[in-house]
Amino acid sequence: MNYTQTLEFLFSSLPAFETQGATAYKPGLERITAFCRHLGNPQRNFFTIHIAGTNGKGSVAHIIASVLQQAGYRTGLFTSPHLQDFRERIRVDGEMIPKQKVVNFVDKHHDKMVELNLSFFEMTAAMAFDYFAQSDVEVAVIETGLGGRLDATNLIVPILSIITNIGLEHTALLGDTLQKIAAEKAGIIKKSIPVLIGEGDARYNGVIEQTAAANKSKVLYAEQVFRCEKQASRGERQLFTLRRMRDDRPFDVELDLEGNYQYHNVITASAAVDFLHEETPLTISRRAYLEGMRCAAANTALHGRWQKLGEAPLTICDTGHNAHGIAYVAEQLRNTPHRELFCVMGFVRDKDLAHILPLLPREAHYIFTQAHSERALTAEELTAKAAIYGLQGEAVADVRSAVARARELAAPEDMIFIGGSTYVVGEAL
């Protein structure tokens, strides 16, 4: 098989949550455990940091990976979903896995993957572990796909577990309350391995602490390790003044990611780096920390986080796609100077729009669209649902045409926002 044929096999022959939704979700570790045993358990060949959470886990993963790269470690990074290229999911020192490596892996293990009836995500996670081991990776940052307890990545034994935050998402699969979802995500906690909570909340802290206590694992709260005293913007960077609580030491941090919500991710990533330096075999200098933060997006090729696509009109895209994430996006839209606001929005069918649509600004003009995905809600259906919540606009079925329509309508002093779905952002980039 060539690379195109290999991707066709992966996306068509193996169940993929990205295309099929909940019907592709195959909880449990039996299949991935058996397949990794077949591969020689490559996931045991390097240190790992495991990250779960409703929002922010991608940004936190990329920031930590950037810092580790700056510290001189050969660093693996496994994230999902991808925006444009499947290979974005698997990186070593910021570079995507080569196409030929993807082809070779599938050619070599095709029969075993079919025998075990692996899901797309299980195969991808195993491919990442195998590639990291082949590439002499020293430490890998691993983001969960869905949930935590039954996620395919959960066969690793990390040196640190991180839960960024808990919000309502995938309630049909993970539970319909914050406490149930927290219990699923707390499932990444391993015996005697510390867990770092990015954003603590009285509604779910106890659930995580209970799981940690059962595993004799220490719980750390990022907001008790660092506090943010100042946040400002300078061009396409953000400046933060952080203070480490234990010794009252200040840190002036630059981040090459925009979005006010990165405030939480910077604190979480900083607390993680501090722990890794102080409590694990890894050594991370102050310079590596600051440079890794300053070049986080550049080092790891992170896209789609309050990313500026154009000026006059200001054009922004963001991958926030659940109520928890859209709330941050809506707040920043309100705080960004503009005359008129045009929003190009599309969602997948299984999103809880009853909790998402009321968060969006009513005064905007919407261009409702749909990505090229089997899971996409049609532009016409979205237009009708949005009207219930007072969101007015028009339907343009193709994402690129929808963006072009927004640019046709917007004046230089207006603003265009593109989001709602990772797939919409991927097609707009």
Side-chain angles (χ1 to χ4, degrees), residues 9 34 417:
F9 161 73
F417 175 78

Side-chain angles (χ1 to χ4, degrees), residues 224-368:
Q224 294 174 10
V225 181
F226 281 93
R227 71 169 180 267
C228 181
E229 298 183 336
K230 185 178 177 184
Q231 179 180 10
S233 293
R234 181 196 292 163
E236 295 186 4
R237 293 181 180 277
Q238 294 195 73
L239 310 178
F240 299 86
T241 298
L242 303 183
R243 189 168 295 278
R244 190 165 60 192
M245 314 284 252
R246 72 168 183 272
D247 56 6
D248 206 36
R249 189 176 186 184
F251 294 81
D252 291 320
V253 176
E254 285 187 53
L255 181 73
D256 63 343
L257 289 167
E258 295 191 80
N260 291 342
Y261 56 78
Q262 293 294 353
Y263 157 90
H264 297 289
N265 299 331
V266 163
I267 290 175
T268 303
S270 297
V273 168
D274 186 66
F275 172 84
L276 293 172
H277 177 69
E278 294 290 331
E279 304 289 343
T280 78
L282 302 177
T283 300
I284 303 168
S285 69
R286 183 187 178 103
R287 174 183 286 184
Y289 161 63
L290 294 176
E291 189 64 18
M293 288 280 187
R294 194 177 70 82
C295 302
N299 282 345
T300 63
L302 177 61
H303 296 290
R305 273 61 170 188
W306 200 261
Q307 182 177 348
K308 188 181 295 180
L309 302 181
E311 299 269 13
L314 173 64
T315 304
I316 298 289
C317 70
D318 193 275
T319 54
H321 57 273
N322 50 44
H324 191 266
I326 292 289
Y328 285 126
V329 166
E331 181 183 5
Q332 184 138 12
L333 286 173
R334 286 191 293 272
N335 294 332
T336 302
H338 59 268
R339 193 187 69 169
E340 301 291 333
L341 175 62
F342 296 86
C343 293
V344 177
M345 303 292 287
F347 291 92
V348 293
R349 286 187 174 280
D350 53 6
K351 283 298 164 200
D352 183 4
L353 295 183
H355 285 96
I356 292 174
L357 294 175
L359 300 170
L360 295 170
R362 290 192 179 188
E363 66 277 8
H365 178 83
Y366 287 86
I367 298 143
F368 299 109

Side-chain angles (χ1 to χ4, degrees), residues 389-404:
Y389 298 95
L391 306 180
Q392 301 299 320
E394 57 197 274
V396 178
D398 174 76
V399 172
R400 290 190 179 276
S401 299
V403 174

Side-chain angles (χ1 to χ4, degrees), residues 88-133:
E88 294 168 25
R89 297 164 178 260
I90 303 171
R91 296 180 182 272
V92 173
D93 286 349
E95 297 294 324
M96 294 189 293
I97 181 174
K99 290 181 179 180
Q100 194 58 47
K101 291 287 187 182
V102 177
V103 173
N104 293 348
F105 182 85
V106 173
D107 277 346
K108 184 175 181 180
H109 304 292
H110 172 278
D111 292 348
K112 193 68 175 178
M113 289 191 289
V114 172
E115 176 194 325
L116 291 170
N117 194 25
L118 295 185
S119 72
F120 171 83
F121 187 76
E122 287 169 334
M123 179 283 309
T124 307
M127 182 188 297
F129 299 150
D130 188 66
Y131 178 60
F132 293 161

